[in-house]
Amino acid sequence: MTEEEQLRLLATDGMLVKRPVLVADTFVTTGFKEKDWLEKLGLEE
């Protein structure tokens, strides 16, 4: 599936996308769990 086809499919059915999405150079995280985000961003206390 091309990127264009993927984007078209995602645009037709919003339930295919889990939000929020955190995209960085070395990882992608979907959904929100504060502990996971803090760990990925190097901000854990």
Side-chain angles (χ1 to χ4, degrees), residues 8-43:
R8 192 175 313 122
L9 178 59
L10 290 171
T12 63
D13 186 352
M15 295 303 292
L16 294 174
V17 179
K18 184 173 181 177
R19 297 175 199 96
V21 178
L22 175 61
V23 180
D25 291 335
T26 58
F27 65 87
V28 175
T29 301
T30 59
F32 181 75
K33 292 184 182 171
E34 184 176 8
K35 182 180 177 188
D36 293 347
W37 278 49
L38 292 172
E39 180 182 310
K40 291 285 189 181
L41 294 170
L43 302 172

